[in-house]
Amino acid sequence: MALGTWKNPYGAEGGGQPSTGDLRMFGGPPASTSSGSGFGGAFSKNFGSSFLDMWKSGAMGGGGSDDDKGGQAFSPGSVGGGSIAPIGDKGKHFLFQYTHPQAQIIQHGPDGPSFGEQLATTAIGAGISALCDIRTKVDIAPLESTEVNDSLAEIAFFVKGLRECA
Amino acid sequence: MSALEKLKKLDPIQFRYKENIDPNQSLRAGFSAQQVQEIIPEAVHEVDGVLMLDLNVLRNYLSLAKEELLSKS
């Protein structure tokens, strides 16, 4: 079973309509036909749907929507079991911690980031990653200033200092 | 190539995310993942065609660079 796929919300060239950012941990039945037999097959086949059913019913803290600012950062349909919660002050920073569906679920407050902001940064595994694909950016110029002091900005200014001292 | 040398090769940039990602269009600081991928490939992950920068890897490089600077001084 693939651990997860993330549907590119920006299109192949960074354009197009934003989607729900489909990050799926248990996205449908496995392609392999051999996994559908026996206890192991039945378990792996049913686990994902059972989990999603629980999630959607609210038993696991899910049930929110994109407009539900007090709920999950992503709706259950878009996350499919995992969750992405903002780190930092009120979601102004594009840093998110991915939480495995079997781990603790982090929720944000009612004044959390917008859906589009949440898409800007996600996490790989247990780490924190920033959306730095050049195709998602505009107005690109050598670093002079920033309006957002997040971790990425700290690193960028540190490197700028290194280069200027060299 | 040392961590310090690799970091010095990176070009810090300022940018704004496209409007569908950041409606506020805030000016931000960062890097081009495509450039980082050429210099520190382990710091970049591709998720369904979109490049993501692993900040933990970059922080490790910063630590190594700081140690390198201290040892030189």
Side-chain angles (χ1 to χ4, degrees):
Chain A
M1 177 188 302
L3 281 181
T5 58
W6 183 47
K7 190 174 181 180
N8 179 3
Y10 314 110
E13 297 299 323
Q17 294 297 318
S19 74
T20 55
D22 189 12
L23 181 62
R24 297 185 301 165
M25 294 297 293
F26 305 101
S32 171
T33 54
S34 61
S35 63
S37 62
F39 174 77
F43 177 80
S44 63
K45 185 177 180 180
N46 296 326
F47 179 69
S49 59
S50 298
F51 184 87
L52 286 177
D53 289 343
M54 290 172 65
W55 182 279
K56 288 173 181 174
S57 69
M60 303 210 46
S65 66
D66 295 346
D67 297 328
D68 182 7
K69 297 296 185 184
Q72 288 296 125
F74 283 80
S75 67
S78 65
V79 182
S83 68
I84 298 177
I87 298 170
D89 52 341
K90 300 180 181 179
K92 291 178 181 176
H93 300 170
F94 280 28
L95 297 174
F96 288 80
Q97 176 77 46
Y98 175 71
T99 305
H100 190 275
Q102 293 174 341
Q104 181 182 5
I105 298 168
I106 303 171
Q107 295 187 339
H108 65 73
D111 51 354
S114 68
F115 177 69
E117 288 175 318
Q118 293 166 19
L119 291 177
T121 303
T122 184
I124 306 298
I128 300 172
S129 297
L131 178 60
C132 287
D133 197 308
I134 202 76
R135 294 167 294 181
T136 62
K137 300 174 179 177
V138 294
D139 296 341
I140 300 169
L143 179 58
E144 292 295 334
S145 64
T146 181
E147 295 170 356
V148 180
N149 291 310
D150 55 11
S151 296
L152 184 60
E154 285 180 21
I155 296 172
F157 275 101
F158 182 89
V159 171
K160 177 180 167 67
L162 280 180
R163 289 165 58 94
E164 290 174 351
C165 290
Chain B
M1 191 185 299
S2 71
L4 184 60
E5 289 170 331
K6 285 185 179 181
L7 286 179
K8 283 181 180 176
K9 282 184 173 291
L10 297 180
D11 295 318
I13 58 172
Q14 62 186 43
F15 64 94
R16 301 178 202 278
Y17 284 115
K18 289 183 177 177
E19 198 167 1
N20 61 339
I21 301 172
D22 179 16
N24 296 329
Q25 292 284 282
S26 300
L27 187 65
R28 297 171 183 276
F31 302 94
S32 157
Q34 278 80 354
Q35 195 220 7
V36 176
Q37 193 173 36
E38 293 176 2
I39 300 165
I40 311 174
E42 65 269 30
V44 178
H45 302 279
E46 183 174 339
V47 182
D48 200 14
V50 178
L51 297 183
M52 309 289 292
L53 201 56
D54 190 327
L55 299 186
N56 290 332
V57 174
L58 279 187
R59 286 198 189 101
N60 289 338
Y61 267 82
L62 291 190
S63 297
L64 291 171
K66 286 176 183 175
E67 289 175 11
E68 200 174 329
L69 286 171
L70 288 173
S71 66
K72 287 181 179 177
S73 62

